[in-house]
Amino acid sequence: MNIWLNIPTIKNEGIILRINLKITTVISTMILLFLLIGCEQGTMDFYERTEGIDLSGENIDSISIHSSEDDVLNTFGKPMEVEEIEDPKSKYLSYDGVEFGFVDDKVIRLFVRRTHENSKIYETAKEIKVGDTKKQVIKEYGENYYERVESGLNTLGYFDKDNRINIEFGFNEKEVIAVIIKEIGWKEDH
């Protein structure tokens, strides 16, 4: 198919060549952009080649993976926001500085972040919090980590293969801006 049918015939070969180069450049740039977006690696891409560590003590104010929704409500009270998702079927309770994800009324994900300057600051079991450095994370959690980019955010993560727990720290430049603790193997991982 000739894509030049709608372009008026121009006698100057140099102009036609420049048009062809511009279109080729735009198409090449678009293809490269799609490839780069598609190259982000998911958490489970690192599972086999990353040695596991013990994350069994990870919790936020006593709430850990597999805690019940009632445990969260009793500890944190009424959430600021509730979101229910159909696919995969899940529910999210949001509080100031932390969000809990549930499947079948059990916690499968804890997400810590600061939504505003006065957000409550939560710590991991090894006392890492929003604002800490990558160096502090590695000092506390060790060298058995993986690194990836998630939605443009540099991320450092660890696996507890025995207890099927994953923790990831998202960085904005050199500071932790988010912590995710989740159950390994939940549908969202793939």
Side-chain angles (χ1 to χ4, degrees):
M1 177 177 167
N2 187 350
I3 63 172
W4 306 110
L5 292 177
N6 294 329
I7 298 175
T9 305
I10 301 172
K11 302 227 181 214
N12 186 333
E13 295 290 324
I15 292 173
I16 293 173
L17 181 59
R18 280 192 293 260
I19 291 171
N20 284 338
L21 285 175
K22 284 182 183 179
I23 292 172
T24 302
T25 301
V26 169
I27 292 171
S28 297
T29 302
M30 289 173 55
I31 290 171
L32 182 59
L33 181 62
F34 288 129
L35 287 174
L36 288 175
I37 291 170
C39 287
E40 280 194 6
Q41 293 182 294
T43 303
M44 296 310 290
D45 293 335
F46 299 94
Y47 186 79
E48 290 300 322
R49 61 180 179 249
T50 304
E51 194 172 322
I53 67 169
D54 182 12
L55 298 171
S56 61
E58 290 300 332
N59 71 84
I60 301 298
D61 283 1
S62 79
I63 305 299
S64 60
I65 298 297
H66 302 291
S67 290
S68 71
E69 185 174 342
D70 285 339
D71 292 338
V72 172
L73 293 171
N74 290 334
T75 302
F76 286 85
K78 183 180 177 186
M80 295 169 35
E81 183 180 333
V82 176
E83 182 180 7
E84 296 194 34
I85 308 290
E86 283 302 314
D87 188 25
K89 189 162 180 56
S90 51
K91 182 178 188 177
Y92 297 87
L93 302 182
S94 295
Y95 297 88
D96 183 31
V98 66
E99 176 185 270
F100 300 95
F102 299 88
V103 171
D104 299 327
D105 294 324
K106 297 290 181 195
V107 173
I108 48 91
R109 179 177 169 256
L110 301 91
F111 178 49
V112 177
R113 82 275 187 231
R114 290 187 74 188
T115 53
H116 55 81
E117 188 176 304
N118 296 323
S119 287
K120 183 166 181 179
I121 297 176
Y122 295 97
E123 294 183 341
T124 68
K126 296 184 184 261
E127 300 180 355
I128 297 297
K129 62 191 173 309
V130 170
D132 286 346
T133 65
K134 181 177 178 180
K135 185 176 180 179
Q136 288 171 286
V137 171
I138 294 170
K139 179 182 178 212
E140 294 302 322
Y141 284 88
E143 298 288 333
N144 296 324
Y145 61 88
Y146 61 89
E147 291 184 87
R148 68 186 186 101
V149 175
E150 172 65 30
S151 303
L153 196 63
N154 291 327
T155 303
L156 183 134
Y158 297 87
F159 292 109
D160 178 337
K161 295 179 180 184
D162 293 334
N163 294 298
R164 304 202 39 78
I165 300 171
N166 172 237
I167 189 168
E168 290 190 319
F169 301 90
F171 294 90
N172 180 7
E173 296 181 21
K174 296 190 182 213
E175 286 188 354
V176 174
I177 62 167
V179 179
I180 298 175
I181 303 166
K182 63 185 176 179
E183 179 181 340
I184 294 174
W186 181 52
K187 185 177 180 178
E188 190 177 76
D189 286 340
H190 302 289

